[in-house]
Amino acid sequence: MTTTFRRSSPSALGIDAAGIDQLVSALEAAPGVEPHSLVVLRHGAVAAAGWWAPFAPDRPHLLYSLSKSFTAAAVGIAVRAGLIDLDATVISHFPELDAEITDDRTRRMRVRHLLAMASGHRSETIDRAEAIDPTNTVRGFLLLPPDEEPGSVFAYNQPCTYTLAEVVRRASGTSLLEYLRPRLFAPLGIDDFSWRRDDTDAELGYSGGYTTTDAIGALGQLYLQRGVWEGERILDEDWVDQATSAQVANPDEGNPDWSQGYGFQFWMARHGFRGDGAYGQFCVVLPEQDVVVAMTGQSTDMQAVLDAVWEHLLPAVDRAGAADANESLQARLAGLALPPLVGEPLGILPATPPSSPSPVDGDSGLEAVHLTQDPSGRWVVTLVDASGEVTAPVGEGEWLVSGATATSGARTEDVVTVDVRFVETPHLLHVRVDLADGAITAVWETQPLHDGVATLRRPD
């Protein structure tokens, strides 16, 4: 187990358990929302926690852009240690590029501008930066002149955070993970955190972090406690103030909780502030209520997730509840599960099993899908793409967990469907096999942003 918080009950912490129960119902019912985990903290204790099987408390989950908030914490720790000055120019950390970077705006870009996604560019630069220099993202980014004065406009921009990660590496003389382990992870009790690296062996910083839901909650709790953990100051109070207040306006963002301003790798919201990542990875901090909500999921409608929190959890804080509501909620949370596929038994494979050595239909990017049966008669699916291959036994009437996958299969006449969940990520792949003609289709429920089937797992 990663971080261990004191366990309590909603009513003991001043929350009506019925409100959390209603939140769970809303998450399960909302179109475009698939919850994987939910942890609600109040006064530093667990009011409620649940994982939808096959997801589990001790299994890390890909954070996507919620990784940015951990990168920002590394910057804050380095600022406190005197290794980084927020008002230093970015180019001062890359002296080898000084002669090349001649644009005046780029030369005026400061560390604080990167933290606030206010580099002066009007739009995302990752593709353009990597096109300029495929081997050095920082160089490619700094060779793209900003459209406006740094600090004046907001644009969600991955190279801002990648560059911050490189600044920390240079200032500390070590990797981002090695810098954070004794200074953030150890004090908070986070013993399971890994990061996807690029071809230069550098952590992405802006994405690719893997950790548990409890660890997400711990980061939120640290900011809620204004940088102090068990009497030890980890982040300066002034840093917390700046990180969790609007540093740049972003009124053009479409959804209401994305247009309240941006801090230091945290979004301001209609209530409190948060870090978040693609497909519903959330660290929501509500200082007025002394509440932290940590969530993972596979949700394409992230605004709906926050709407459910505002509608059901917020009114339940400091509201009296029924005496038996705690027990009812606890029983429900203990039984949370995503439904497996249902249908006829898979039966026996044809004498010549379907196998696709040519490109598979659908959007999966798979090069091949193979079906076999092991000596016990259990079906086995093998997925092959440019990243490698994954082989997993197929569950029937259940999610069968094997390594970093969980599978469920069912048959309807001559059509077999196998769902493959990559349970250390948000992602689900639907594989459809027609036993009559051998046709195979594979479609992602949500498209992975920077991985293939063999890398959709916690990095070593």
Side-chain angles (χ1 to χ4, degrees):
M1 195 70 174
T2 308
T3 300
T4 301
F5 290 102
R6 177 175 65 87
R7 301 278 155 166
S8 186
S9 66
S11 61
L13 296 169
I15 301 176
D16 180 2
I20 301 176
D21 192 275
Q22 291 159 8
L23 170 60
V24 170
S25 294
L27 294 175
E28 291 184 332
V33 173
E34 180 186 272
H36 293 170
S37 69
L38 169 68
V39 173
V40 178
L41 305 174
R42 194 177 196 209
H43 308 323
V46 177
W51 285 260
W52 280 258
F55 296 90
D58 58 352
R59 189 176 286 277
H61 199 284
L62 173 58
L63 303 180
Y64 277 124
S65 284
L66 181 50
S67 308
K68 292 178 171 71
S69 300
F70 285 92
T71 300
V75 178
I77 292 167
V79 168
R80 176 169 169 77
L83 298 178
I84 296 175
D85 179 352
L86 292 182
D87 289 313
T89 60
V90 175
I91 192 62
S92 69
H93 288 275
F94 303 94
E96 75 278 14
L97 301 178
D98 187 72
E100 284 188 273
I101 308 303
T102 58
D103 179 79
D104 287 343
R105 286 173 173 162
T106 303
R107 297 186 67 85
R108 289 195 292 272
M109 192 188 301
R110 302 183 183 276
V111 173
R112 66 169 61 252
H113 297 144
L114 301 184
L115 285 160
M117 294 290 186
S119 62
H121 299 93
R122 293 197 196 102
S123 61
E124 172 67 72
T125 65
I126 187 69
D127 291 340
R128 289 177 287 160
E130 291 180 347
I132 290 172
D133 192 333
T135 65
N136 187 334
T137 301
V138 172
R139 179 174 176 271
F141 171 57
L142 294 179
L143 284 171
L144 272 174
D147 307 292
E148 307 290 347
E149 188 65 23
S152 65
V153 295
F154 171 85
Y156 201 65
N157 195 354
Q158 313 303 333
C160 285
T161 318
Y162 183 92
T163 302
L164 289 171
E166 183 60 22
V167 168
V168 171
R169 286 188 284 265
R170 291 189 173 211
S172 66
T174 189
S175 72
L176 196 57
L177 274 175
E178 290 306 313
Y179 188 67
L180 285 171
R181 280 192 180 113
R183 297 167 179 85
L184 180 72
F185 298 153
L188 272 58
I190 299 171
D191 58 13
D192 193 348
F193 198 109
S194 53
W195 228 309
R196 179 75 62 224
R197 296 170 182 263
D198 65 11
D199 291 341
T200 71
D201 201 36
E203 301 97 338
L204 294 182
Y206 61 83
S207 186
Y210 285 71
T211 196
T212 62
T213 316
D214 277 0
I216 297 170
L219 180 71
Q221 190 66 33
L222 174 66
Y223 274 88
L224 184 62
Q225 294 169 182
R226 304 187 59 73
V228 174
W229 192 273
E230 294 184 350
E232 176 188 355
R233 179 159 290 283
I234 295 173
L235 297 168
D236 285 334
E237 196 164 12
D238 179 59
W239 166 272
V240 174
D241 284 340
Q242 294 181 78
T244 62
S245 59
Q247 299 298 310
V248 60
N250 59 350
D252 295 333
E253 295 294 309
N255 291 317
D257 282 302
W258 275 260
S259 60
Q260 306 296 316
Y262 196 79
F264 287 169
Q265 311 289 288
F266 279 104
W267 297 89
M268 304 305 103
R270 288 177 291 171
H271 305 278
F273 59 90
R274 72 182 189 284
D276 66 36
Y279 304 126
Q281 323 319 312
F282 283 107
C283 177
V284 179
V285 183
L286 304 171
E288 290 185 15
Q289 291 79 19
D290 200 18
V291 165
V292 174
V293 183
M295 292 180 283
T296 61
Q298 180 182 224
S299 300
T300 54
D301 188 347
M302 290 172 62
Q303 182 62 65
V305 176
L306 294 177
D307 289 345
V309 174
W310 307 154
E311 181 178 355
H312 300 291
L313 178 61
L314 274 184
V317 176
D318 293 327
R319 184 179 75 194
D324 61 351
N326 288 330
E327 291 74 17
S328 175
L329 174 64
Q330 182 58 38
R332 181 176 189 184
L333 293 174
L336 294 174
L338 299 173
L341 294 179
V342 294
E344 303 167 20
L346 294 178
I348 305 298
L349 269 172
T352 304
S355 183
S356 172
S358 57
V360 178
D361 287 340
D363 67 0
S364 67
L366 291 178
E367 298 170 359
V369 174
H370 306 294
L371 289 173
T372 57
Q373 279 185 293
D374 66 19
S376 72
R378 187 183 294 279
W379 286 38
V380 176
V381 62
T382 299
L383 311 173
V384 183
D385 70 6
S387 70
E389 69 176 50
V390 169
T391 297
V394 179
E396 294 190 57
E398 63 173 351
W399 289 108
L400 181 60
V401 178
S402 175
T405 64
T407 63
S408 180
R411 181 171 180 164
T412 303
E413 297 181 345
D414 283 336
V415 175
V416 169
T417 303
V418 179
D419 276 358
V420 183
R421 288 191 180 276
F422 296 83
V423 290
E424 294 175 352
T425 79
H427 300 295
L428 166 64
L429 181 67
H430 305 288
V431 179
R432 183 184 184 277
V433 181
D434 190 322
L435 299 178
D437 62 13
I440 298 177
T441 303
V443 176
W444 289 107
E445 182 72 22
T446 51
Q447 193 84 32
L449 301 184
H450 47 60
D451 282 292
V453 293
T455 57
L456 280 168
R457 55 180 296 275
R458 177 190 190 276
D460 296 330

